[in-house]
């Protein structure tokens, strides 16, 4: 038997082995034992002993590793995908003879295979016959996946009939499910490329705008669906395990487990926490302003500097985010600003404190919302919706629904909808659009969206239609009629694909009920439906609502949202 010396933390410790079995394997064993003894000694569970069995005197302290200091943004670069233009090809069906059979041979082969895959085992469909029908049209689909997109996020897509075809209109059609791929990697119809999103849904033709262009071009509101999360990473310019580990630990401590994962010494993968799903930009800004390795004195000096910049109006957005990221330690410096005479300073301090979780700023933000001359009203509404406790937010936002400024009312409605407050009730219609009825005081208004999710918002619901009315669509295919003294509204439609008249269907005078009667699907001949409808397209219902307001059939103001594609054009222009 003999002692075999093994280096442990600069020579600390010996390992006893049998000399008769001493060989290379023993040395390997010694190294493993050595490793575990190091861990035990560092934890204080084992004290090194000398060869005589006595405790060895510790001659020097093992220095603790130096933790990196500074903001995460100063140590690592945020790497994210910006907006991604995508493209694909598909088929719009349900047209009333306004489609065409023309299709490039290479694209036809791709579409035939796709149709066969989609309907395999469900029903017998002749792909060529489907494409050749005058009730279908082959279209090009384009869109832009928003920056920092998550799986399930939706975006608008544009559909355009292929050039050189005899398609005359996409009005009333529906885009069958199609795949969208990155424009930068798609040169041919049959080229293999990763599917980044899918698209499908009812085609929207903007008939409110006389300059909307030919009806061979339309959009599917919210028709694009992201299939995978866009990856977001922090990249260290110089790989370092210690720094990567420190960043990961700090992010998981601040935002919750699973937020950050160090996949290499130079890269930390980020996952947006659920609470920041609607505020991804803010989350990433907080990540880059989060500090590492600062003691209390350094942090206090940083807080004071950030507050001074906030007061002076320098880099307000960055300062506000940095203070909110620091958290409760910044409250003592921010609280006095709530009583300053400068509304700008009061507002930014209040938002900052609310983000930290302090409810003292609520009275300040409530006053700002009530002040009709304040430029911060809508921002204050959004801050309350995102940061206040649910009951407090609902109480303040409900009062804003009666405001005379429609932009303020709409901002309050959006936050209440996100909070699922009972003041907003939602009804889906035929899977194509939503009716949001908002119970509130103030002027009655009808809002229709032309981008994002297709929805009709009724402010001051229930809104009732007058009797003794006669409203007809431009092509006279839809009629809404109620004579003086009638108990119901009659709704009729002559479908473009059928010579017979559908209806009349009876509806109450409640405008939401009339919209549902117009928009729900046509009743099948062999299956009576509980809630039959006339299958009128959202595009046409929007025009009918505007006409009802203009003709005095409904006492309300009509509001139309921004046009679909405006955001897409802005993004693609900036990327050039």
């Amino acid at each position: 038997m003999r002692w075999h010396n093994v280096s442990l933390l600069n020579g600390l410790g010996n390992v006893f082995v049998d000399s008769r079995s001493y060989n290379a394997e023993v040395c390997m064993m010694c190294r493993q034992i050595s490793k575990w003894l190091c861990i035990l000694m560092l934890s204080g569970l084992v004290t090194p002993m000398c060869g005589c069995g006595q405790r060895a005197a510790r001659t020097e302290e093992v220095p603790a590793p130096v933790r990196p200091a500074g903001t995460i943004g100063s140590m690592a670069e945020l790497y994210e995908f910006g907006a991604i233009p995508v493209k694909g090809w598909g088929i719009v069906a349900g047209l009333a003879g306004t489609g065409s059979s023309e299709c490039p041979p290479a694209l036809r082969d791709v579409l035939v295979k796709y149709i066969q895959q989609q309907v395999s085992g469900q029903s017998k469909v002749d792909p060529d016959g489907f494409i050749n029908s005058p009730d279908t049209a082959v279209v090009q689909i384009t869109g832009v996946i928003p920056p920092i997109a998550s799986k399930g996020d939706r975006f608008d897509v544009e559909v355009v009939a292929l050039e050189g075809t005899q398609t005359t209109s996409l009005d009333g059609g529906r885009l069958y499910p199609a795949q969208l791929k990155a424009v930068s990697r798609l040169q041919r119809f049959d080229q293999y490329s990763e599917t980044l999103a899918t698209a499908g849904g009812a085609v929207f033709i903007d008939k409110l705008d006389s300059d909307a262009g030919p009806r061979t071009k339309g959009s599917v509101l919210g028709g694009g669906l992201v299939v995978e999360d866009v990856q977001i990473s922090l990249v260290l310019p110089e790989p370092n395990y210690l720094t990567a580990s420190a960043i990961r630990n700090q992010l998981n401590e601040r935002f919750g487990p699973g937020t950050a994962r160090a996949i290499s010494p130079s890269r930390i993968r980020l996952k947006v926490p659920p609470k920041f799903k609607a505020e991804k930009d803010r989350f990433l800004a907080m990540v880059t302003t989060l500090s590492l390795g600062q003691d209390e004195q350094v942090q206090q000096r940083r807080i004071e500097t950030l507050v001074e910049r906030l007061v002076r109006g320098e880099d307000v957005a960055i300062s506000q985010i940095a203070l909110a990221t620091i958290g409760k330690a910044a409250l003592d410096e921010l609280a006095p600003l709530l009583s300053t005479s400068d509304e700008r300073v009061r507002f930014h301090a209040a938002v900052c404190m609310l983000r930290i979780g302090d409810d003292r700023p609520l009275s300040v933000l409530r006053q700002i919302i009530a002040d009709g001359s304040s430029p911060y009203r809508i921002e204050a509404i959004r801050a309350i919706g995102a940061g206040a406790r649910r009951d407090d937010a609902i109480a303040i936002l409900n009062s804003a629904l009666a405001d005379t400024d429609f932009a303020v009312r709409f901002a309050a409605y959006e936050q209440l909808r996100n909070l699922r407050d009972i003041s907003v009730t939602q009804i889906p219609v035929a899977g194509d659009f939503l009716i949001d009825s908002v119970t509130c005081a103030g002027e009655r208004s009808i809002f229709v969206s032309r981008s994002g999710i297709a929805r009709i918002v009724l402010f001051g619901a229930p809104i009732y239609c007058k009797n003794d009315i006669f409203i007809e669509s431009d092509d006279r295919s839809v009629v809404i009629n109620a004579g003086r003294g009638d108990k119901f509204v009659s709704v009729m439609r002559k479908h473009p694909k059928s010579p017979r008249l559908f209806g009349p269907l009876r509806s109450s005078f409640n405008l939401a009920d009339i919209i549902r009667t117009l928009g729900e699907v046509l009743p099948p001949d062999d299956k009576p439906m509980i809630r039959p409808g006339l299958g009128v397209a959202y595009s046409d219902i929007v025009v009918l609502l505007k006409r009802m307001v203009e003709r005095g059939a409904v006492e309300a103001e009509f509001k139309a949202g921004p046009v679909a594609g405006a955001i897409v054009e802005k993004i693609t222009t900036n990327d050039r």
Side-chain angles (χ1 to χ4, degrees):
M1 305 289 285
R2 69 179 175 85
W3 291 101
H4 179 56
N5 187 53
V6 180
S7 175
L8 295 176
L9 289 178
N10 297 325
L12 291 177
N14 293 310
V15 178
F16 187 77
V17 296
D18 189 337
S19 60
R20 289 173 296 181
S21 62
Y22 176 65
N23 51 33
E25 293 182 1
V26 172
C27 285
M28 179 63 71
M29 179 188 71
C30 292
R31 284 194 291 272
Q32 292 298 321
I33 296 174
S34 178
K35 173 183 175 182
W36 287 108
L37 283 175
C38 285
I39 295 172
L40 292 171
M41 284 187 288
L42 285 172
S43 64
L45 297 175
V46 169
T47 303
M49 300 183 69
C50 64
C52 62
Q54 297 179 350
R55 296 185 183 276
R58 176 169 290 183
T59 57
E60 59 177 328
E61 294 290 334
V62 179
V66 178
R67 183 174 180 175
T71 63
I72 290 177
S74 67
M75 302 177 196
E77 182 179 354
L78 188 64
Y79 182 79
E80 59 178 290
F81 286 98
I84 305 174
V86 289
K87 181 170 68 173
W89 292 269
I91 299 175
V92 170
L95 304 175
T98 59
S100 65
S101 61
E102 291 100 336
C103 180
L107 177 57
R108 179 181 288 268
D109 291 341
V110 173
L111 292 175
V112 166
K113 291 179 182 178
Y114 184 68
I115 293 171
Q116 290 172 337
Q117 292 171 355
Q118 291 296 305
V119 301
S120 176
Q122 299 178 17
S123 61
K124 293 183 179 180
V125 175
D126 175 14
D128 280 311
F130 184 66
I131 295 173
N132 292 337
S133 170
D135 296 333
T136 66
V138 177
V139 295
Q140 178 177 281
I141 312 158
T142 56
V144 177
I145 295 178
I148 331 172
S150 300
K151 180 179 180 179
D153 284 355
R154 289 195 169 273
F155 58 98
D156 296 335
V157 297
E158 183 179 83
V159 292
V160 181
L162 295 186
E163 292 185 5
T165 67
Q166 297 182 42
T167 299
T168 58
S169 176
L170 300 177
D171 193 9
R174 175 178 291 275
L175 175 66
Y176 269 55
Q179 297 175 330
L180 301 180
K181 304 178 180 184
V183 171
S184 60
R185 299 185 180 183
L186 195 62
Q187 304 298 327
R188 306 187 314 273
F189 296 133
D190 59 348
Q191 181 177 350
Y192 173 79
S193 180
E194 181 185 4
T195 298
L196 302 182
T198 59
V203 175
F204 173 75
I205 304 290
D206 184 14
K207 300 176 182 179
L208 295 177
D209 187 354
S210 57
D211 298 326
R215 293 189 177 181
T216 53
K217 175 181 178 181
S219 59
V220 182
L221 305 184
L225 182 69
V226 181
V227 298
E228 293 292 342
D229 292 345
V230 172
Q231 293 184 355
I232 312 169
S233 299
L234 288 167
V235 179
L236 276 64
E238 296 182 5
N240 186 297
Y241 277 109
L242 179 62
T243 304
S245 177
I247 291 175
R248 176 202 61 200
N249 294 342
Q250 185 76 345
L251 288 172
N252 287 335
E253 180 181 345
R254 176 64 178 82
F255 299 106
T259 300
R261 181 168 61 92
I263 59 176
S264 75
S266 61
R267 187 178 292 267
I268 300 101
R269 182 71 49 78
L270 300 181
K271 182 178 181 180
V272 179
K275 68 176 293 185
F276 290 99
K277 183 174 177 59
E279 296 183 294
K280 296 171 186 173
D281 288 331
R282 180 172 169 266
F283 165 71
L284 295 182
M286 292 179 72
V287 165
T288 57
T289 57
L290 189 62
S291 296
L292 295 177
Q294 286 190 350
D295 58 29
E296 292 184 5
Q297 291 183 346
V298 173
Q299 179 173 269
Q300 182 59 33
R301 287 197 297 271
R302 185 166 184 253
I303 291 171
E304 293 171 356
T305 300
L306 290 170
V307 170
E308 289 175 3
R309 291 168 61 186
L310 195 70
V311 172
R312 292 197 302 266
E314 299 176 3
D315 298 324
V316 171
I318 295 175
S319 300
Q320 191 181 83
I321 289 172
L323 288 165
T325 305
I326 290 171
K328 293 183 179 180
L331 290 175
D332 288 343
E333 296 292 332
L334 287 168
L337 301 182
L338 296 179
S339 57
T340 182
S341 59
D342 190 331
E343 184 187 43
R344 176 186 58 80
V345 176
R346 286 201 313 275
F347 167 71
H348 290 300
V351 171
C352 223
M353 294 178 67
L354 190 63
R355 293 290 193 182
I356 294 172
D358 194 309
D359 59 4
R360 284 178 289 177
L362 286 177
S363 59
V364 173
L365 294 174
R366 186 187 292 109
Q367 292 171 1
I368 288 175
I369 294 172
D371 182 1
S373 62
S374 174
Y376 302 106
R377 302 179 76 196
I378 293 176
E379 291 181 73
I381 286 172
R382 291 171 179 164
I384 286 176
R389 290 182 297 185
R390 186 174 184 275
D391 290 346
D392 293 334
I394 288 173
I396 296 173
L397 295 173
N398 265 293
S399 63
L401 285 176
D403 200 87
T404 55
D405 187 335
F406 181 77
V408 170
R409 300 180 76 190
F410 192 80
Y413 144 75
E414 287 186 308
Q415 298 305 317
L416 288 166
R417 185 189 69 206
N418 294 339
L419 293 170
R420 301 183 182 277
D421 181 48
I422 59 173
S423 62
V424 180
T425 58
Q426 192 171 88
I427 301 173
V429 180
D432 289 342
F433 65 94
L434 300 169
I435 302 174
D436 286 356
S437 296
V438 186
T439 304
C440 63
E443 187 174 359
R444 290 183 173 86
S445 302
I446 302 170
F447 172 87
V448 297
S449 68
R450 294 189 289 175
S451 62
I453 301 298
R455 69 174 76 237
I456 298 169
V457 187
L458 306 177
F459 288 88
I463 298 176
Y464 291 98
C465 181
K466 293 181 179 180
N467 59 12
D468 194 19
I469 62 168
F470 183 85
I471 303 295
E472 193 176 36
S473 61
D474 287 336
D475 59 2
R476 298 184 178 180
S477 63
V478 181
V479 175
I480 304 171
N481 181 43
R484 189 178 301 275
D486 286 353
K487 295 182 178 180
F488 299 95
V489 176
S490 295
V491 186
M492 296 170 285
R493 180 191 185 194
K494 181 183 179 300
H495 196 277
K497 294 177 65 176
S498 173
R500 70 187 180 94
L501 188 71
F502 288 92
L505 298 181
R506 294 198 307 179
S507 167
S508 71
F509 284 83
N510 187 325
L511 186 58
D513 195 30
I514 296 173
I515 295 171
R516 291 187 67 189
T517 305
L518 288 167
E520 289 290 359
V521 295
L522 291 164
D525 294 333
D526 58 340
K527 294 181 180 179
M529 301 183 64
I530 296 175
R531 175 80 194 193
L534 298 179
V536 179
Y538 175 74
S539 307
D540 294 318
I541 293 175
V542 164
V543 176
L544 286 168
L545 288 174
K546 182 180 180 183
R547 185 159 299 171
M548 292 176 77
V549 170
E550 291 174 342
R551 301 280 176 85
V554 177
E555 289 187 355
E557 62 176 350
F558 181 85
K559 299 282 187 179
V563 178
I567 297 176
V568 172
E569 292 172 5
K570 180 179 179 181
I571 292 174
T572 53
T573 300
N574 291 341
D575 285 346
R576 288 172 187 166

